[in-house]
Every structure is written in structure tokens, then in C-alpha cells.
Amino acid sequence: MEVLKIATAGSVDDGKSTLIGRLLYDTKSLTSDKLEAIDRVSKKNGLDYLDFSLATDGLVAEREQGITIDVAHIYFSTPKKSYIIADTPGHIEYTRNMVTGASTSQASIILIDARKGVIEQTYRHFFINNLLRVKEVIVAINKMDLVNYSEDVFNNIITEFDELRSKSDFQDQKLTFVPVSALWGENIAEKSTAMSWYQGQTILEHLEDLKAEDFAEESQARFAVQTVIRPKTEEFHDYRGYAGKISGNSLRVGDEVTVLPSLTTSKIKDIHFFEETFDEAPAGSSVTISLADDINVARGDMLVKTKEVPEETKVVDAMVCWMDNHPLVPGKKYVLQHNTNGVLAKIDKVESHIDSNFGAEENVTSLSLNDIGSVKIKLSKPIYVDSYNTNRTNGRFILVDTQTNTTAGVGFIK
């Protein structure tokens, strides 16, 4: 079954957790014991309705404060599709969590409180979706029940958002506006009778209609080798396969491929997925590939079509979102993890800090926690990269602190 990855973003009290909880409830994805717990706690809190935000706020601090702090991944299915929602916090101090949640998402839901309209946080949420090149963005204008389900309020917010859209440099991004009341389930899974003036789809209808081809990248095929499979059994004594995930375009049996960084060449002999074999595997497939020639391939290598070898470089220019309490400064060394390949790296220059409210770019010499900025990085050996705009998988990396082994930053190659 097709899987759709979604990220959500919203400010404090915009109703993000409530919307997700309502979506789970309306698709009958909440278990009976979970529903009973929500009912029990809702009554305990003096509410005469089900507080669906309790379905998603997993941390005690989140439940106590009524805010989302950490990224939570929520799974549910409908007869048409399976979904993974990355419920990300919206506050500026958790920018790194927003970036983490949206970096692997195909679609995003940005919530706006109908009473407040477009605010500073909305700029930040939209900026991050632009930075990460999320193609499908649903703008859910929530709490319409608190503005008497006013069509004028809805249209005025769209006009406000158009000004924000004018700052975007991502022309392929599609915006869809939906007026909702997450608390009462208006236009979440069921059409709202209170907003008959709205003729568009509900949130769930829109998600159901999104197709894999809507997110397809028009880019060259990349296959990062995660592990080498050698069963060494009597039946597969000489078998050698390479497991990994395809990004960009598909790969087919018979394709001439080059192994990076050794630059040795061969042809794809077989493509396996468990016990099945395929002539072709599309982007996003996790498969095992065997080659016609017995050449040396190891974890960290990458298979590409011979005529589509990416750029080799020892200097990386990138946008970096900083996630560490220790600032990013020139001279500091990290491991740059690019796909399955780890390379020693030194920060050569911190060039600028970029305001995540679509504000001005400022020249700086360091980046602090949650900052986003432009950085130049030198590597101990070359890697083969694409720009993030060209290939989202081969164009991104993480920086790992060599002393603490923590993920210090995430980068997007220019």
C-alpha cells in the first residue's frame, strides 16, 4: 500500500495536536483503550468534549503545558493509503525539530488560527517548507467555529498568505487552503455543514488524492549501498548483493552502472526484493542489486548510471540548521555523514545567518542552536554529491560531533 509522509507545523494553541487526534478519531485509528483514556482525562480536566490533543502529546511535559516539544511519528491507515505524520513543534526554540520532521516529508500541513491570521510563526513554518522543498503544503485555517465560520475571515487569511507566498523561490510548491474546526471535525474527514460556502476537499480527501508521482523527483538515479549481502549458503554460495534505497529515477536490469568512489563499472544483473525479482525498481524502493561483474563494492559506496556520475568535491557549500548547544564555528571538526558514507570534515567558514522569517541575510562568524545559515565545509576526502534542489537524498547530510557522537547539524547542499 502507498505510504504518504506528512509533517505538521503550527504555533502554540493553533490546534495542531487536536487536528491530528481528530484525524485519527475520524479514520477509526484510535484504539478503544486510548479513546477511554482520552475520555477519562478530558472529563478530569473539566471538558465536556474529547480533547484529541491527548492522542498525540506523548511527553508528560507536553500534556502538562499543552504544547508539542519533541517530534512524534504517528501512523494510521485508510483503505486507500497508509500515513506517517511527523508531529513537529512550532516554537522557534524547536526549529531543529521542525527541520528534522519536514526533511523526510512529502507533504506538510501548516495550521493557522483563524482568529489570528498569518503571524510570525507562519512565516517560519512556510520558510522551512521552502528550504526543504516540500511540494505539497496544506494550509489548514483552524478554529473557524470561533469566527462564526466566516468566509470573509478565510478569504482574508488567503490574501495575507499570498504576500508570504510572493517571497518564495520554490515555484513547484502547491498550496491548498482548507477552513477547518479540528475540535468539532469540520472539514477534517467529513464535509462541514457549517461552511457550505467552501466547495473544496476536506483535509483527508486531499491527502487521499495525492499520488506518488506528485512527489517524483526529476533527477538522476542514486543507490547508496547500505550493506553487502553474502549468504554463503550452499544454494547461494557465490551470491553477492548490495542492499540500499534508490533515490532520483528508477534503475533497471541491464543498466550500465559506475561504482563510486572506485569508478569501476558493471551492469545490473538482478534486482531483488525479498524473494521476488524485478526488471525495474522505482525511486524510494529499498532493494538488493547484484552486478554482472565480481567487483569490489562496500558499504558507503554509491551506484549510479555510468553517464550520470554526480559532482566530485572536497568542498561543500551548504545551508545548515544547527542542532547543538555548542555553536558552529570555523575550525571545528565533525564527521559529515552523507548517505551511508562518513567523512571527516572541518568547518572552513560560516558565511551568513538566514532569518527564518524570510528576513534579511546577515554576515556572521558562528551559528547557535536553531540557527540556519550558509556554511563552507572542507572534507578529508572527496564525496559525490548533487544539490539538494536536484536530489533531496544525495543533496543532504548530517554533521556528527566526533567527541560526543551527537548529531550537531543537518545540511542541504547548494
Side-chain angles (χ1 to χ4, degrees):
M1 181 181 286
E2 185 180 348
V3 178
L4 181 67
K5 299 176 183 176
I6 311 162
T8 58
S11 302
V12 178
D13 291 335
D14 278 355
K16 180 165 51 64
S17 296
T18 302
L19 183 145
I20 297 172
R22 185 77 206 196
L23 202 54
L24 297 178
Y25 177 76
D26 287 350
T27 56
K28 305 186 187 313
S29 302
L30 291 173
T31 58
S32 56
D33 59 333
K34 186 77 176 180
L35 262 177
E36 290 171 6
I38 292 173
D39 182 48
R40 185 172 60 252
V41 176
S42 297
K43 288 177 179 175
K44 180 182 175 183
N45 292 337
L47 303 176
D48 58 357
Y49 54 84
L50 294 175
D51 182 0
F52 290 113
S53 68
L54 298 169
T56 60
D57 290 338
L59 300 177
V60 172
E62 290 177 326
R63 292 193 293 269
E64 290 177 344
Q65 299 176 49
I67 62 172
T68 302
I69 296 174
D70 202 358
V71 179
H73 288 90
I74 298 142
Y75 304 81
F76 72 99
S77 298
T78 64
K80 289 185 177 180
K81 200 176 291 185
S82 293
Y83 300 89
I84 303 173
I85 299 180
D87 182 19
T88 67
H91 318 20
I92 186 171
E93 60 264 38
Y94 300 120
T95 297
R96 62 192 188 282
N97 302 61
M98 279 190 273
V99 171
T100 301
S103 63
T104 57
S105 297
Q106 298 160 305
S108 183
I109 301 174
I110 297 177
L111 271 89
I112 293 178
D113 187 328
R115 299 168 301 174
K116 301 174 183 175
V118 174
I119 60 175
E120 180 183 347
Q121 291 284 61
T122 313
Y123 274 65
R124 183 167 300 109
H125 301 154
F126 189 56
F127 174 86
I128 290 173
N129 277 280
N130 272 263
L131 173 68
L132 300 180
R133 293 316 195 224
V134 178
K135 283 188 176 180
E136 283 283 344
V137 176
I138 300 172
V139 182
I141 301 173
N142 191 25
K143 303 192 179 184
M144 290 297 294
D145 53 306
L146 299 182
V147 293
N148 297 319
Y149 300 106
S150 168
E151 183 178 8
D152 287 341
V153 170
F154 178 68
N155 289 332
N156 288 339
I157 292 175
I158 293 177
T159 302
E160 290 177 29
F161 210 98
D162 281 340
E163 182 183 349
L164 179 54
R165 190 206 308 241
S166 68
K167 300 177 184 295
S168 169
D169 62 350
F170 184 25
Q171 300 303 317
D172 290 339
Q173 192 170 55
K174 181 185 174 187
L175 297 180
T176 303
F177 297 88
V178 184
V180 303
S181 170
L183 183 63
W184 305 114
E186 307 279 1
N187 285 334
I188 304 298
E190 301 291 335
K191 290 273 191 183
S192 170
T193 55
M195 291 180 279
S196 56
W197 45 265
Y198 173 72
Q199 301 300 311
Q201 294 179 306
T202 66
I203 298 278
L204 185 62
E205 286 173 341
H206 187 74
L207 295 176
E208 296 274 69
D209 278 356
L210 294 178
K211 303 290 188 298
E213 50 264 33
D214 295 334
F215 314 107
E217 288 181 316
E218 290 299 325
S219 61
Q220 297 169 341
R222 309 292 185 230
F223 182 80
V225 176
Q226 293 179 346
T227 188
V228 179
I229 298 176
R230 295 199 64 190
K232 294 183 178 178
T233 61
E234 194 63 36
E235 185 179 0
F236 300 100
H237 187 75
D238 296 322
Y239 180 84
R240 182 189 289 266
Y242 310 105
K245 188 173 184 178
I246 300 172
S247 66
N249 288 333
S250 61
L251 288 174
R252 292 182 60 85
V253 171
D255 281 343
E256 292 188 11
V257 293
T258 294
V259 182
L260 304 176
S262 67
L263 296 178
T264 51
T265 60
S266 184
K267 286 187 177 181
I268 295 179
K269 180 182 176 184
D270 296 300
I271 298 175
H272 295 274
F273 182 75
F274 289 107
E275 296 179 347
E276 295 183 80
T277 59
F278 296 88
D279 291 333
E280 182 176 10
S285 302
S286 294
V287 295
T288 299
I289 290 175
S290 63
L291 300 179
D293 303 287
D294 188 14
I295 57 178
N296 184 30
V297 181
R299 173 180 165 81
D301 290 351
M302 183 162 59
L303 307 184
V304 300
K305 291 183 180 178
T306 296
K307 294 182 179 179
E308 298 178 349
V309 177
E311 177 190 2
E312 179 190 28
T313 183
K314 286 184 70 175
V315 179
V316 172
D317 289 307
M319 297 278 282
V320 168
C321 175
W322 199 239
M323 300 177 168
D324 199 355
N325 289 317
H326 301 290
L328 175 69
V329 294
K332 188 75 186 291
K333 294 180 180 177
Y334 298 91
V335 170
L336 184 145
Q337 188 69 39
H338 176 248
N339 292 319
T340 55
N341 184 24
V343 182
L344 283 176
K346 185 172 81 171
I347 306 303
D348 183 51
K349 188 177 181 182
V350 179
E351 297 176 324
S352 63
H353 168 265
I354 297 168
D355 194 330
S356 59
N357 297 329
F358 284 100
E361 194 168 334
E362 178 188 5
N363 293 330
V364 296
T365 56
S366 67
L367 293 180
S368 301
L369 179 66
N370 289 311
D371 280 350
I372 297 173
S374 184
V375 174
K376 186 184 290 293
I377 303 169
K378 288 186 175 179
L379 308 177
S380 61
K381 62 180 184 180
I383 59 174
Y384 290 84
V385 301
D386 294 289
S387 70
Y388 184 77
N389 288 346
T390 303
N391 187 306
R392 289 181 67 181
T393 301
N394 200 43
R396 66 188 176 210
F397 60 86
I398 60 172
L399 292 171
V400 180
D401 191 303
T402 55
Q403 295 182 332
T404 63
N405 206 34
T406 57
T407 300
V410 56
F412 309 95
I413 298 168
K414 293 181 180 177

